């Protein structure tokens, strides 16, 4: 997939009043943090960023073009309005070409497990791993095929396919996905059957109980 390019412009004024003015103009205030500790205040087109952000993961390196000067960077934080969901502020972190970086790479499951088709439940306890590599070797996401996963079987971090240029930092024996029996689902019908059997036995027991004896007639 081609690299996402975001057009930005530098801004001089800061503070909440200036940020509100930028948002009213249909733009989003942002900060680009450099590896050397510098910070550049910028703003971006709100609609463009919202559309592009849908395809940006925690390990996606985007190109931020600030007035003709391009920076490779991660989207480190996106602040949203808790009521409307609109993007209020974005933090970028610059990536330096040729320098090893550490990043979180999301995991995406693929396929329908055999165990699920047999009545099991798929669990996905680990959604990302931590790796170290050069920016050019960083995967945006990792796919894990769970189609052959049976009931009471697991897939681990060691089952992920990584390039030799990527160093894994997450323990290899951590479970990524597993299929368990749906014990609660299986127990429910049994409990219902037991309840129905008990309910059916009650009337029968009542009908079979001895009726009070009538007084014997005197001859």
């Amino acid at each position: 997939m081609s690299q996402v390019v975001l057009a930005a412009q530098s801004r001089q004024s800061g503070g909440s009043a200036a940020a509100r003015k930028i948002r009213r103009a249909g733009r989003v205030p942002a900060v680009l943090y450099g590896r050397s500790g510098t910070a550049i205040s910028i703003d971006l087109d709100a609609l463009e960023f919202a559309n592009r952000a849908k395809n940006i993961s925690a390990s996606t390196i985007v190109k931020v073009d600030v007035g003709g000067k391009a920076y490779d960077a991660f989207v480190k934080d996106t602040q949203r309005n808790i009521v409307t969901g609109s993007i209020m502020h974005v933090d970028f972190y610059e990536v330096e070409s040729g320098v090893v970086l550490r990043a979180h790479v999301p995991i995406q499951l693929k396929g329908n497990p055999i165990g699920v088709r047999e009545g099991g439940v798929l669990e996905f306890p680990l959604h990302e791993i931590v790796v170290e590599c050069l920016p050019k070797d960083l995967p945006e996401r990792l796919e894990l095929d769970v189609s052959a996963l049976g009931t009471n079987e697991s897939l681990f971090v060691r089952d992920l396919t990584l390039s030799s240029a990527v160093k894994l930092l997450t323990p290899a024996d951590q479970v990524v996905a597993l299929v368990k029996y749906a014990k609660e689902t299986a127990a429910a019908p049994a409990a219902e059957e037991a309840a129905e059997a008990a309910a059916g036995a009650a009337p029968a027991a009542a009908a079979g109980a001895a009726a009070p004896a009538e007084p014997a007639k005197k001859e």
Side-chain angles (χ1 to χ4, degrees):
M1 186 175 68
S2 59
Q3 187 178 22
V4 172
V5 180
L6 299 169
Q9 61 186 29
S10 60
R11 57 187 174 94
Q12 302 301 320
S13 56
S16 56
R20 286 194 295 270
K21 184 177 180 180
I22 289 170
R23 295 187 191 104
R24 285 197 297 269
R27 301 185 68 79
V28 178
V31 175
L32 173 63
Y33 293 96
R35 291 182 61 86
S36 59
T38 59
I40 304 172
S41 295
I42 59 175
D43 59 72
L44 314 127
D45 183 89
L47 184 58
E48 179 191 27
F49 181 78
N51 290 334
R52 299 290 181 86
K54 297 173 184 176
N55 299 316
I56 296 174
S57 72
S59 61
T60 302
I61 298 177
V62 301
K63 191 175 292 293
V64 183
D65 187 323
V66 184
K69 185 174 181 179
Y71 301 84
D72 285 333
F74 288 123
V75 177
K76 295 299 290 183
D77 185 47
T78 302
Q79 299 172 21
R80 292 180 179 271
N81 184 300
I82 59 173
V83 177
T84 65
S86 59
I87 299 170
M88 304 292 289
H89 190 275
V90 183
D91 285 339
F92 295 94
Y93 184 76
E94 185 186 3
V95 174
E96 189 175 348
S97 178
V99 177
V100 171
L101 56 83
R102 180 176 296 188
H104 293 256
V105 180
I107 302 169
Q108 183 175 327
L109 300 186
K110 177 184 176 183
N112 184 21
I114 292 173
V116 170
R117 298 198 297 270
E118 293 175 346
V121 176
L122 175 66
E123 295 188 3
F124 185 19
L126 187 66
H127 292 262
E128 63 181 22
I129 60 170
V130 182
V131 301
E132 246 183 19
C133 62
L134 292 172
K136 67 182 181 64
D137 299 315
L138 181 64
E140 287 193 20
R141 59 183 55 82
L142 293 169
E143 280 193 351
L144 182 63
D145 192 343
V146 296
S147 303
L149 197 60
T151 310
N152 287 338
E153 292 181 351
S154 303
L155 287 173
F156 302 86
V157 169
R158 61 175 174 265
D159 297 311
L160 294 166
T161 302
L162 290 172
S163 162
S164 59
V166 179
K167 181 181 178 182
L168 177 66
L169 299 183
T170 302
D173 59 353
Q174 277 197 240
V175 175
V176 176
L178 67 156
V179 175
K180 287 186 175 180
Y181 276 115
K183 293 181 180 179
E184 295 78 5
T185 304
E192 290 176 4
E193 290 175 7
E196 289 175 1
E214 293 182 1
K217 294 182 180 179
K218 295 183 179 180
E219 297 285 339

